[in-house]
Amino acid sequence: MMSPQGGGGGARRRRRRQAEPGSPHARDPVASTSTSSPWTRTSFPAHQPSAPEPPSGERVWCIPVDYQPAIPEFVGNPGIQIPTVGFTEIDYFSFFFSNPLVNLIVEQMNLYAQQFVAQHPGSFLAKPGGWTPVSAAEMRTFWGLVLHMGLVKKPSARHYWSGDVIYKTPLYSMAMARTLFEAIRKCLHYANNAACPPRGDPAYDRLYKIRPIIDHFGAAFAQAYVPGREVAVDESLVAFKGRLIFRQYIPSKRARYGVKLYKICESTSGYTYKFRVYKGRDSRIQPPECPPTLGVIGELVWDLVHPLLDKGYHLYVDNFYTSIPLFQALSTRSTFACGTVRKNHRGLPTHPLQVPIPRGETRALTSDNLLLVRYKDKRDVLMLTTIHGNGITPVSVRGTAATVLKPNCIVDCNRYFGGVDLSDQVLTPYNAMRKTRAWYKKVAVYLVQVALYNAFVLCRCAGSTETFLQFYEAVLKDLIFSDRERAGRSTSGIGGARVVPGQHFPGGSSEEIPTLLHCAAKLGFKEVALLLMQSPSADSICRITNKYGDDPAKMAEKYGHQDIQDIINQLFVAFFTLLHFGLAGFLSAGVNQDQLLSEVNDVFSEKVLVQKKYIPTFKVAFRDLTKIFKEQTTSWWEVQCLENYIKNKIVPRGLRITLLPANRCRSTSLMSKWEEEATKSSLRLIHLLLEEEKINLAKLDVKLKEHIELTQKFKEEADFSNKELQLKNTLEKFVFHLKERKHHQFNRDLQDFRDNRVYLTLERGTTP
């Protein structure tokens, strides 16, 4: 019979034993006292006779006194391991999503399509024109559209090609026909099904369908970048609710059901260094040099961290991976670990963990090189570490000015454990996976997006300051547009008609719309035309004519899109000298002002200026030389600006004399003559400014020459070429924005004179 307190006879006997003075379960009054250091506070003093002795063979734990582990120096070589000089965003991504991988996907997909058509002669792919072998350029465009779907969310894939005003997105119908996109998505394969070993075969692999890209990305991730000292191991979940033998349920994850991936990531950046796809509980891995006592989870962690052993890395994990044998085995290979641990973990002392302690208190025990920390917050937090000693850190309480003392291991674990979650959190808003019954297609999309994030980390480490979204957009532009044009063919025509390979080439074409630029010129898509004009092959594209003999510029004129015609014509405008000559020659020759004169008419006109796509670098430019170059360039353009204002007899805002007559007579004729004289006076003042600016320009020319000569003395430096390129790119950007600003100001002031609103006077035709 149960007692009123909820316990039976056994519970009463336990309470009775705890109350007996000689019982090992009795509470010692010394246990509730505190010493000077929180790390010496313990639930049982070392001399306590009533503490149970550990059985023979069990681990012995003792109270630490000024405990500090001996941590060797970190000897890894973190950072980018591949040459990235002159890399653009697409170059970083293409290192992972490389041509060999694209060719492999194209080969296996075309092979699967042939097998499918042979097995299903009644399918739509078997009909005439239903399937044509896909090229690598079309595959890159396909992946560009798939990744773009992570930016623009719609209910289904077909809505991206919808003509409804609510859903219309012209990019998709211009880049690829919907039927082609759906055919590629249906036939997308990464391995030959006919060569797959049958179930029961020792060589059977549950990940066979996706094994080639797993191996490719795994090798590329490890080759491109080495993480810093702090790394973390955790799992990610790719959402999938279909039937799958190794589908996992993780309630703490957003997806809950799906394919699980174990990953080791850099804690600070989230770079995925290595990963493993979970294949089921009956699958075992055999990592090299792995001790036999680690168990399944320990072997998994050992496999992930094995390339980083013997270098002094610090590994952070949660209680799913924490184990005493694993931590001790890693410490013998100069790799140290820290993580949360469960109370019932084998090898931990039981009695000290059962005694209640006040909130905010800390208890610690050591055994060999292991430190066990118990911290009381809202609930008990148990930490096991081979990294930290008996130190505490004041931590501010969120929302208040108060601070609490927390063990260093907890503070560092909170700081460094989130490496895996960091990459997943960045990618979640741009999730490009769509509903499908094929689990391997979802995993493939996830791995491509992980590769995209890793490429972003490389770009940031190389000196870029752009956000992930900006990097994402730049990669998509190259995948969807530039790469297809470099490949020399278009994937679709207008209205969804697919262009046959070989019809897109410089010269004539039998199609009305042979290129995307022709399509943009016909339909008036200005933004698309701007993107296409940044392609490296834009020069050849502009010379392609359709079956009527119209090039893109002529087609834009025919359909009344003057702005697009101007954009296309700007391709043949000479840019700043830096765009045509190497910096080494530029430093020797100085600024060639004769070639700059050809740009003046374009800047001080109503034409649209087109910015060239720049090549970013990763090192800081010559600061002094960059500064004087900017000053000299600004002064030169200021001289050209003032001369053109005088030439066109207009006065810019800020230099206009706007004083009105003081008397009451302000007739129309008087105000016209008054404004004419004010304009003449303003122009005379501009002459004075022009002479002063020319004197300043001459001084800057001398100063620039001195700085160039000084810079040439460092030509033998190993990093000189990188700094040259950085300086060149910086000046390109500066010159473009300077010309764009002058262009805008000139057209604004010109419009003021055309609209007769230069001076704030009475309305025309009125007399007082």
Side-chain angles (χ1 to χ4, degrees):
M1 182 175 179
M2 301 293 293
S3 65
Q5 287 79 11
R12 288 194 295 272
R13 285 192 295 272
R14 283 194 297 272
R15 286 194 295 271
R16 203 161 43 243
R17 285 198 301 268
Q18 291 173 0
E20 295 175 1
S23 171
H25 302 280
R27 296 186 179 182
D28 194 334
V30 183
S32 61
T33 61
S34 299
T35 58
S36 58
S37 172
W39 288 94
T40 59
R41 299 171 188 166
T42 179
S43 301
F44 58 100
H47 63 275
Q48 180 178 339
S50 59
E53 293 293 333
S56 176
E58 287 195 8
R59 180 173 298 276
V60 177
W61 297 85
C62 60
I63 301 171
V65 179
D66 296 331
Y67 173 75
Q68 190 66 35
I71 303 296
E73 184 180 357
F74 177 65
V75 295
N77 182 29
I80 302 176
Q81 306 297 311
I82 58 175
T84 59
V85 177
F87 267 33
T88 61
E89 292 88 346
I90 190 62
D91 294 327
Y92 289 104
F93 179 65
S94 294
F95 179 81
F96 301 120
F97 198 71
S98 59
N99 289 331
L101 177 63
V102 175
N103 293 334
L104 171 68
I105 299 174
V106 170
E107 177 185 356
Q108 295 300 326
M109 182 181 62
N110 289 332
L111 176 61
Y112 174 78
Q114 296 175 4
Q115 297 171 349
F116 182 85
V117 169
Q119 297 174 4
H120 304 82
S123 68
F124 75 96
L125 293 179
K127 297 178 181 179
W131 176 262
T132 303
V134 175
S135 67
E138 289 171 320
M139 180 55 62
R140 288 183 177 271
T141 302
F142 169 81
W143 277 103
L145 296 179
V146 168
L147 294 176
H148 188 269
M149 290 178 179
L151 293 180
V152 181
K153 308 288 186 180
K154 294 189 180 181
S156 68
R158 292 203 166 199
H159 283 86
Y160 290 93
W161 282 265
S162 172
D164 193 297
V165 66
I166 298 177
Y167 297 108
K168 188 173 183 179
T169 308
L171 167 67
Y172 287 83
S173 57
M174 292 175 58
M176 179 175 286
R178 178 182 59 81
T179 54
L180 174 59
F181 180 88
E182 292 179 343
I184 294 177
R185 188 175 62 170
K186 177 178 180 58
C187 298
L188 196 61
H189 264 67
Y190 311 97
N192 184 5
N193 289 347
C196 179
R199 295 180 184 270
D201 190 287
Y204 175 71
D205 183 8
R206 287 175 177 167
L207 302 177
Y208 175 82
K209 283 183 172 292
I210 204 173
R211 177 60 63 187
I213 68 170
I214 289 178
D215 295 340
H216 172 84
F217 283 132
F221 291 169
Q223 178 186 354
Y225 186 82
V226 173
R229 187 181 66 171
E230 286 76 20
V231 294
V233 170
D234 201 0
E235 65 270 0
S236 295
L237 197 67
V238 179
F240 183 75
K241 292 187 177 181
R243 297 182 62 181
L244 186 64
I245 190 172
F246 50 87
R247 188 188 68 176
Q248 288 284 286
Y249 171 69
I250 305 179
S252 60
K253 297 294 184 181
R254 182 187 181 100
R256 293 191 300 160
Y257 292 94
V259 180
K260 181 166 65 174
L261 289 85
Y262 298 105
K263 301 196 297 184
I264 181 169
C265 298
E266 186 179 41
S267 297
T268 54
S269 67
Y271 182 91
T272 300
Y273 179 71
K274 191 175 180 181
F275 65 92
R276 279 271 186 180
V277 181
Y278 176 73
K279 298 190 295 183
R281 66 169 62 185
D282 55 344
S283 62
R284 293 291 296 268
I285 58 176
Q286 297 178 350
E289 304 176 309
C290 180
T293 60
L294 297 188
V296 178
I297 301 302
E299 291 174 353
L300 170 68
V301 177
W302 186 276
D303 177 71
L304 292 174
V305 80
H306 182 265
L308 307 177
L309 295 178
D310 302 318
K311 297 178 182 178
Y313 274 89
H314 292 183
L315 175 67
Y316 291 86
V317 295
D318 63 10
N319 56 28
F320 182 75
Y321 307 94
T322 301
S323 71
I324 294 176
L326 173 64
F327 279 25
Q328 289 195 316
L330 290 175
S331 65
T332 61
R333 301 295 300 272
S334 297
T335 304
F336 305 92
C338 174
T340 56
V341 64
R342 297 169 182 170
K343 283 186 177 182
N344 60 351
H345 185 78
R346 182 181 300 177
L348 296 186
T350 57
H351 179 72
L353 303 180
Q354 295 174 353
V355 179
I357 60 175
R359 183 170 181 174
E361 292 291 327
T362 302
R363 303 288 186 267
L365 295 172
T366 59
S367 177
D368 297 334
N369 62 337
L370 298 170
L371 177 67
L372 177 65
V373 177
R374 179 189 179 193
Y375 175 74
K376 180 69 174 181
D377 198 5
K378 291 183 179 179
R379 58 182 64 87
D380 281 349
V381 180
L382 287 182
M383 302 290 298
L384 190 66
T385 177
T386 59
I387 303 174
H388 304 87
N390 57 340
I392 55 176
T393 301
V395 178
S396 60
V397 180
R398 186 183 305 172
T400 66
T403 59
V404 295
L405 297 177
K406 289 187 177 181
N408 289 343
C409 58
I410 294 181
V411 176
D412 286 349
C413 194
N414 290 336
R415 180 185 306 165
Y416 296 123
F417 177 64
V420 177
D421 293 335
L422 175 59
S423 62
D424 288 344
Q425 287 169 1
V426 174
L427 290 173
T428 296
Y430 314 107
N431 183 8
M433 291 179 287
R434 305 200 71 86
K435 188 175 182 180
T436 177
R437 294 181 180 179
W439 63 270
Y440 56 89
K441 294 182 181 179
K442 279 199 167 186
V443 175
V445 173
Y446 175 78
L447 291 179
V448 171
Q449 289 200 286
V450 170
L452 183 66
Y453 180 78
N454 280 1
F456 167 70
V457 174
L458 296 183
C459 187
R460 290 297 294 264
C461 291
S464 174
T465 58
E466 60 186 352
T467 64
F468 178 69
L469 178 58
Q470 293 170 335
F471 179 85
Y472 201 123
E473 293 169 345
V475 170
L476 292 184
K477 292 174 185 177
D478 279 282
L479 282 177
I480 298 175
F481 295 107
S482 299
D483 186 80
R484 295 168 59 252
E485 298 298 343
R486 284 196 296 268
R489 58 178 289 190
S490 176
T491 56
S492 67
I494 196 67
R498 185 178 176 192
V499 177
V500 179
Q503 288 185 344
H504 180 188
F505 52 89
S509 173
S510 60
E511 297 289 330
E512 179 186 1
I513 310 292
T515 68
L516 285 177
L517 190 57
H518 283 80
C519 181
K522 179 179 180 179
L523 301 179
F525 295 144
K526 181 178 177 181
E527 295 297 328
V528 175
L530 283 171
L531 290 176
L532 295 175
M533 291 304 295
Q534 296 178 15
S535 168
S537 58
D539 183 25
S540 61
I541 298 172
C542 289
R543 289 194 285 267
I544 297 174
T545 58
N546 63 3
K547 63 181 181 181
Y548 303 114
D550 297 334
D551 59 19
K554 189 173 180 180
M555 179 169 282
E557 181 183 8
K558 178 187 293 186
Y559 288 94
H561 303 300
Q562 184 65 38
D563 52 347
I564 297 182
Q565 182 186 10
D566 293 338
I567 291 173
I568 297 173
N569 290 333
Q570 284 296 319
L571 173 68
F572 305 101
V573 177
F575 286 96
F576 191 64
T577 308
L578 283 171
L579 307 182
H580 302 289
F581 299 99
L583 186 61
F586 175 70
L587 292 177
S588 303
V591 179
N592 190 343
Q593 297 189 7
D594 293 336
Q595 295 191 11
L596 294 176
L597 295 176
S598 61
E599 301 180 30
V600 174
N601 293 332
D602 299 311
V603 173
F604 300 104
S605 67
E606 300 180 11
K607 294 183 178 180
V608 179
L609 297 177
V610 180
Q611 180 180 10
K612 183 180 178 181
K613 189 174 182 180
Y614 304 114
I615 303 176
T617 57
F618 66 96
K619 290 191 177 180
V620 179
F622 302 151
R623 297 185 185 277
D624 295 340
L625 186 58
T626 303
K627 181 179 178 181
I628 191 63
F629 261 127
K630 289 182 178 180
E631 292 177 357
Q632 194 269 354
T633 304
T634 303
S635 179
W636 191 91
W637 279 103
E638 190 65 30
V639 169
Q640 303 304 316
C641 180
L642 294 176
E643 288 180 347
N644 273 272
Y645 275 110
I646 294 173
K647 176 182 176 181
N648 290 276
K649 296 183 180 181
I650 61 175
V651 183
R653 295 181 184 179
L655 296 179
R656 301 170 184 170
I657 299 175
T658 57
L659 295 176
L660 299 177
N663 63 355
R664 56 188 298 271
C665 182
R666 295 184 182 179
S667 63
T668 302
S669 59
L670 174 63
M671 295 311 301
S672 297
K673 295 178 181 179
W674 185 278
E675 292 177 2
E676 183 179 352
E677 292 300 323
T679 300
K680 293 179 180 179
S681 300
S682 299
L683 291 174
R684 285 194 293 269
L685 294 177
I686 293 178
H687 273 284
L688 297 178
L689 292 176
L690 177 60
E691 296 302 323
E692 184 65 25
E693 193 62 49
K694 287 182 177 179
I695 296 174
N696 182 47
L697 178 60
K699 295 179 181 178
L700 290 173
D701 287 338
V702 175
K703 191 175 180 181
L704 176 61
K705 184 177 180 180
E706 295 175 353
H707 278 74
I708 292 175
E709 293 175 354
L710 178 63
T711 306
Q712 289 291 336
K713 296 179 181 179
F714 300 96
K715 290 185 65 175
E716 302 301 326
E717 295 289 335
D719 206 30
F720 186 78
S721 60
N722 290 338
K723 291 187 177 181
E724 280 185 332
L725 186 58
Q726 176 68 38
L727 176 58
K728 176 177 178 293
N729 292 336
T730 302
L731 292 177
E732 287 178 357
K733 295 179 182 180
F734 176 77
V735 169
F736 176 82
H737 291 300
L738 178 63
K739 294 191 297 184
E740 190 180 44
R741 186 169 65 251
K742 296 295 184 184
H743 174 78
H744 170 73
Q745 292 173 353
F746 179 80
N747 282 277
R748 179 199 62 192
D749 297 330
L750 180 62
Q751 195 65 35
D752 283 349
F753 274 79
R754 288 178 177 176
D755 296 343
N756 205 14
R757 50 185 174 86
V758 178
Y759 303 98
L760 299 176
T761 61
L762 298 176
E763 293 185 15
R764 301 297 183 189
T766 61
T767 55

